[in-house]
Amino acid sequence: MVKITVDGKKLETEEHLTVLEACLQNGIFIPNLCFLKTRPHPHASCRLCFVSIEGYDRPITACTERVRDGLVVKTDTPEVRALQRSAFKLLMSLHPCNAKLCPTEKPCLLMRIAKHIGVGINPKPLERINRGLPDFVDFGSLYYVPNRCVLCARCIHTCRSINKRPLLTFAKRGIMTMVAYFSSGNDSEVCSNCNACVDICPVAALLPKSAFINFLEAKETHA
Amino acid sequence: MGERSEIGDRYETLRRRIKEELENEQNGVPTIRITMSTCARAAGAEETRKAIEDAIAAFGLSAKIIPVGCLGHCYAEPLIILDYPTTGLPPICYHSVNAGKARLIIQSYLQESDPAFEYIMGAMEENDLIPPVTTFPRFGLEERIVMTHCGRINPWDIREYIANDGYSALAAALTDLPERIIDEVEKSGLRGRGGAGFPTGRKWRLGRAQESNRKVVICNADEGDPGAYMDRTIIESNPHQLLEGIAICAYAVGADTAIIYIRAEYPLAVKTIEQAIREAKAYGFLGERILGSDFSLDVKIFQGSGAFVCGEETALIQSIEGRRGMPQHRPPYPVERGLWGYPTIVNNVKTFSYVPSIINKGAEWFQSIGTERSPGTAIFSIVGNVKHPGLVEVAMGTTLRTLIFDICGGIANKKTFKAVQIGGPSGGCLSEVFLDTPIDFDSLTQVGAMMGSGGMVVMDEDSCMVDVARYFLDFTQKESCGKCTFCRIGTKHLLDILDRITRGKGQEEDLKILEDLSRDIKQGSLCGLGKTAPNPVITSIRYFFDEYVAHVRDKRCPALKCRSLIAYYIDLERCARGCEACVGSCPVEAIFTTKGRKKAIDQSLCVKCGECMVACPKEYDAVLRVSPPELAPIIERPPMR
């Protein structure tokens, strides 16, 4: 066991854990989107889990730092919050929140993060970016909603570890980067419809087609 | 000990045999060395070579044509170096030799023994008759280590490298202990030339210390900065020096596999290095039991598919493993767990190319060149508005002023210097006040630029710094792998704001957002690409703030570059009555004839392409630009008859 201090609280945690895991296990919330316990190497892409650790001159991501004895962590310094808010606003500039039409359970993870770090869910002062992407993309038995996706890659990792084959992947570059599906034309051969990707998605960017039809109906009623 | 001296003997015998072989082949026959690197081919070296061959055949001469790499003087390509020993003259270098000139030179020199003085650039050696090239600042102020043989030896013939003591460092290294090689490299203070400047010796020592049944050496030749071509030129000009450096590194760290990751967009470099590997294997410098020692090394080529981010070492490794090239969080560093999980030492082309000289001449010699914390030389590909662009190798500590104004001849077309962008898209734009900054890793980082891999873009007064920042951000945004939030989305916001400013739609708040967001992207990004992507924005705001203010507040582009903020008009005082030169050049028929039979531009039709400015004859120079566009005089179109 290892002793660490988080926000003045003394914790005892297992060795080999990351700071993020140790905090989450002890009920201390640190904003995160791309973290997955099953990943052998931290993806470290969402850039939300910044913490301040004594001995470092700048905030570092909690998912990439392992616990060790005597580590002193602060999760809410002004520098940490500034970076988290900046990253969160960037994400929200691509994620037009439409709570009424969004099938996530409320409050969704993004709302929780917004509340935790003390910002609204709008990207101000940044402007919204319209990438001109379609509302949804056909992924065989699923639909993918690119404007909701935060590219945490949880679906990609989960699908690969369950199916032992890469069915989902990243495609394109820069701001146009999105998740794509390798289709062989005969989808029943490829996707096992396990829906693991749907369950792991924090922002409902992947939906089974049946659920999507309900969603479209709801949208029409709403309109 | 027996085996050790055997390696040396074996090498010595080989070198002596090759020297004799080459001397016999030359045998008093004139040799014509012609630069055949990518830059020379673009300038027409293939036609020149054909012309030389035809001329030799037509005049019935006997001469040997030898292709060489790049001398670094890209402004004067194609170059030929003619050595006609029986005349008693030294080898002579001719510049800008097109097919016609080539024929004349061959006829004049080889047939009539008159060296055609009017085309000479200089003699390659000291002599009494022809001024040597070393009197030129471009040759004289340079200090060459890596580029010593570039453009002088045939990269397609290993024997020329060996005849110049090539592979002697490898032979010496193989008779020594790996630790001692690492000591030497560490003592030399060599820092990685890929950008970050990590001490090479320390990296190798870390690699050596790893316990593993297998280790890998990777040469990073995925050069992708706009305007940078150092690695390409070095590979095309002296591939064996690189291979020798790689082999020494592999021996020192205990690796049995080396991979050269080179971009597929460099077809000539790929072919050159492939041929070099084949030759080196045939001569026993690569492959099984090198020079009869116990050390074996398998060198492979891996061609990158054109993703800029694959120059980042973890993305590069992902790419070789067959995955999408996306950087990973470090640690673990590749030297601990890299390609296929094995300890992997990744170094740049230039870094490896220094190694043979360091082994041959010693760490102290290398330390004596350059500055204390950045020993050795810096290699830059200098492009943009300088008179003599090309590849330059100077001692570290040389100032930017010497490099730009003395070595590269200053700013072209009688314009004035405005800025220099160092370190590729992730570097910074420095203004005139920084011209006396010495070139070394730390000084450049201190002023907000970076050594980078060695791309340098010089800009004159006509460059708009907001537009330059926008250009580089457009590049990094397109090349972002899309993995982390800050780089993927943050650079897009920077780009959008810069774009807005160049279109005259910027607000004063935008400058604050640019600064804040740049700081966050720098601090929050996952890999080096994101961490350095805002540098062009940060430095251009810091050193050219006035220009941003002019764009935002006055809707004016001081450099008269941003299309939305300028107007073209014709100065009626200068316009020549009856001249129609501009009329035909206008793609939208915006130019009309005034009452006084001069020309004017209809601003409502003009698309600001600038063609009329090009078309207007130099002696009139009547087309002018003005910013903001409202300042353009309004001239009524006469009613149609």
Side-chain angles (χ1 to χ4, degrees), chain B residues 7-8 11-12 14-15 18 149 157-174 238-248 273 275-286 290-291 299 356-357 359-360:
Chain B
I7 294 173
Y11 173 75
E12 268 313 314
L14 180 67
R15 181 173 55 179
I18 283 170
H149 298 305
D157 186 349
I158 191 175
R159 298 177 306 161
E160 293 209 359
Y161 183 62
I162 299 171
N164 282 287
D165 294 342
Y167 287 108
S168 60
L170 177 63
L174 291 177
N238 197 352
H240 288 288
Q241 179 177 255
L242 171 64
L243 291 177
E244 188 178 3
I246 292 173
I248 293 169
I273 194 80
Q275 152 96 359
I277 292 172
R278 272 196 301 274
E279 276 191 302
K281 268 189 191 154
Y283 278 79
F285 295 117
L286 295 178
I290 291 172
L291 285 170
V299 182
S357 310
I359 298 299
N360 274 335

Side-chain angles (χ1 to χ4, degrees), chain A residues 47 86 93 172-175, chain B residues 324 477 479-480 493 520 524:
Chain A
R47 316 311 284 173
S86 189
S93 71
K172 303 191 185 177
R173 292 183 203 177
I175 195 73
Chain B
R324 179 180 163 100
Q477 159 58 216
E479 291 296 339
S480 164
H493 280 285
D520 291 343

